[in-house]
């Protein structure tokens, strides 16, 4: 019997993932982002589902993720967006046929050395431009020197020029996005003449579903793949409203008991019953990615209906007011995210939790997907 620390679980709907991918356009124009264990959804199962849907390439976070895909038999183009850190990592990435990320002049020498050791006649590379994100990459003004140095290392075959938009999901930042698009255009033009087969890749999820799509080249959708609307809460929210969340999270009910008026529940007596109540204890908490800061602030689904969470969220348990679902019994499921609903009810989603926590749904998905066992549908 395997050792597990929680009976809670993530249900990953791979069919929803495939539908989202198809909604985002022709696979020829997409490079789905499956970094960080596919945002907590599982690297290999997600890659297999997207491959079935026609994915021709993948963006991952680390070279290690790309190598894991190769070992699992995936033949798509694979770009590790964080690049390589050590000589050994450069060599392993080159030997695995990954498209090596070049984000600085020193990277060219490291990539060329790794390509030579691998014995490959040529190794594809992706050239990163910093257009305003302030993280990794060349400036547009570096393009001539970059092209000259690449020509001196013919073993390196430029495949992509890429950058990343910092605020394309914010309509009020359209001017900044336009500046980034312009900077990327100059970088790409400075390289495309020397390397005619070079492909541009600029767009993220918001660019993929929004007005910047036409200028984004090969788009790299991330959150949208998993059902998140990159324009949630903005004037462009309707553009992503047909996406489906692929992750739902459930925890079994451990116990159900009466709580009399005036009695408290959980640490710190944060909650005192204003009336006689029926309370259920569910096997979820901050160890399973359900933040302690959510204590008393949100509902979960039980029996298809929203019920309030009461008292302090514990490490692996939380309490629910199920007075309106009196047939709740141990073994029933409480849905932290998603789940089946009765008519007129809506499930809790990662966007709702993120808003309560002043964060983004990416964080919710990565935590809950990484901390709970996953089952696939």
């Amino acid at each position: 019997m395997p050792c597990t620390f929680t009976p809670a679980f993530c249900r990953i709907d791979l069919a929803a993932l495939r539908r989202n991918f198809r909604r985002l356009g022709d696979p020829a124009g997409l490079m789905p982002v499956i970094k960080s264990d596919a945002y907590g959804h599982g690297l290999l199962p997600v890659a297999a589902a997207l491959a079935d849907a026609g994915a021709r390439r993948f963006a991952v976070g680390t070279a290690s993720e790309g190598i894991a895909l190769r070992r699992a038999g995936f033949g798509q183009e694979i770009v590790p967006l964080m690049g390589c850190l050590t000589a050994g990592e450069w060599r392993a990435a080159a030997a695995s046929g990954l498209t090596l990320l070049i984000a600085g002049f020193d990277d060219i020498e490291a990539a060329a050395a790794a390509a030579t050791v691998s014995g490959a006649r040529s190794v594809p590379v992706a050239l990163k431009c910093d257009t305003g994100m302030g993280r990794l990459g060349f400036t547009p003004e570096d393009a001539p020197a970059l092209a000259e140095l690449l020509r001196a290392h013919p073993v390196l075959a430029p495949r992509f020029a890429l950058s990343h938009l910092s605020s394309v999901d914010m309509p009020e930042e359209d001017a900044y996005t336009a500046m980034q698009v312009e900077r990327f255009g100059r970088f790409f033009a400075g390289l495309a003449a020397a390397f005619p087969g070079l492909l541009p890749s600029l767009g993220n999820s918001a660019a993929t579903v929004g007005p910047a799509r036409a200028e984004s080249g090969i788009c790299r959708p991330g959150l949208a793949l998993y059902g998140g609307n990159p324009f949630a809460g903005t004037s462009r929210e309707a553009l992503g409203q047909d996406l489906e969340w692929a992750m739902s999270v459930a925890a079994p009910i451990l116990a159900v008991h009466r709580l009399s008026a005036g009695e408290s529940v959980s640490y710190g007596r944060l909650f005192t019953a204003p009336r006689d109540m029926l309370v259920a204890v569910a096997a979820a908490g901050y160890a399973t990615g359900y933040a302690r800061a959510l204590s008393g602030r949100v509902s979960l689904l039980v029996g298809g209906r929203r019920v309030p969470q009461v008292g302090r969220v514990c490490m692996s348990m939380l309490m629910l007011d199920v007075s309106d679902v009196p047939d709740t019994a141990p073994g029933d499921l409480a849905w932290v995210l998603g789940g089946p609903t009765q008519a007129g009810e809506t499930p809790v989603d990662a966007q709702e939790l993120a808003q309560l926590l002043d964060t983004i749904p990416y964080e919710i998905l990565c935590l809950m997907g990484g901390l709970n066992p996953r089952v696939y549908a």
Side-chain angles (χ1 to χ4, degrees):
M1 182 176 180
C3 175
T4 60
F5 73 94
T6 177
F9 63 91
C10 278
R11 180 183 181 274
I12 308 299
D13 186 343
L14 295 176
L17 181 85
R18 287 190 290 267
R19 288 192 294 271
N20 288 335
F21 179 67
R22 293 183 180 115
R23 288 183 179 106
L24 296 174
D26 186 340
L30 299 174
M31 185 189 301
V33 180
I34 55 174
K35 65 182 180 180
S36 300
D37 203 22
Y39 292 42
H41 293 68
L43 178 69
L44 297 183
V46 165
L50 293 174
D52 288 345
R56 302 182 183 186
R57 52 185 77 90
F58 295 123
V60 295
T62 65
S64 178
E65 287 181 307
I67 292 166
L69 289 173
R70 284 285 185 258
R71 289 175 176 168
F74 292 95
Q76 284 83 355
E77 292 181 290
I78 300 171
V79 181
L81 296 174
M82 292 172 64
C84 297
L85 295 176
T86 66
E89 195 171 41
W90 282 106
R91 289 193 297 270
S96 297
L98 306 187
T99 299
L100 306 181
L101 186 81
I102 304 294
F105 288 106
D106 290 345
D107 289 347
I108 296 176
E109 302 297 336
T116 300
V117 170
S118 75
R121 294 183 60 184
S122 69
V123 170
V125 296
L127 310 171
K128 182 67 179 286
C129 178
D130 177 14
T131 56
M133 190 73 170
R135 297 192 308 193
L136 304 176
F138 299 95
T139 68
E141 291 71 31
D142 289 329
L146 174 58
E148 183 178 354
L149 192 53
L150 285 167
R151 281 193 292 262
H153 294 86
V155 71
L156 302 180
R159 175 66 175 156
F160 300 103
L162 54 88
S163 189
H164 195 58
L165 298 170
S166 70
S167 48
V168 67
D169 55 336
M170 303 166 65
E172 67 273 20
E173 291 288 337
D174 280 352
Y176 194 82
T177 297
M179 181 276 292
Q180 287 196 267
V181 169
E182 187 275 331
R183 284 175 61 84
F184 182 70
R186 286 192 285 119
F187 179 74
F188 182 75
L191 294 168
F195 308 105
L198 196 67
L199 296 173
S201 176
L202 179 61
N204 54 13
S205 286
T208 305
V209 303
R213 177 63 181 262
E215 302 164 306
S216 293
I218 304 295
C219 286
R220 304 189 306 276
L223 183 68
L225 282 175
Y226 310 104
N229 183 349
F231 289 116
T234 77
S235 61
R236 292 178 181 149
E237 188 167 16
L239 295 175
Q241 64 183 0
D242 60 344
L243 298 167
E244 305 171 62
W245 291 104
M247 180 187 293
S248 52
V249 181
I253 301 293
L254 301 175
V256 181
H257 62 83
R258 296 288 173 182
L259 191 69
S260 298
E263 292 183 327
S264 60
V265 65
S266 194
Y267 292 108
R269 304 187 67 237
L270 185 69
F271 176 82
T272 300
R275 65 186 187 284
D276 291 349
M277 300 171 60
L278 190 64
V279 170
V281 182
Y286 52 82
T288 59
Y290 192 89
R292 186 173 181 268
L294 290 170
S295 296
R297 301 176 62 196
V298 75
S299 300
L300 284 74
L301 281 180
V302 175
R305 297 182 61 183
R306 283 200 177 213
V307 298
Q309 187 276 316
V310 295
R312 186 76 72 189
V313 172
C314 307
M315 184 178 292
S316 54
M317 289 184 280
L318 53 78
M319 281 56 68
L320 304 165
D321 175 5
V322 293
S323 302
D324 292 337
V325 192
D327 57 347
T328 302
D332 292 348
L333 292 177
W335 290 89
V336 174
L337 287 181
T341 60
Q342 293 188 21
E345 293 280 6
T346 57
V348 179
D349 61 33
Q351 184 67 43
E352 180 178 344
L353 295 186
Q355 288 174 335
L356 287 168
L357 293 169
D358 193 24
T359 185
I360 54 177
Y362 303 73
E363 183 175 6
I364 305 296
L365 299 176
C366 287
L367 283 173
M368 290 192 176
L371 291 172
N372 296 286
R374 292 186 291 250
V375 296
Y376 292 89

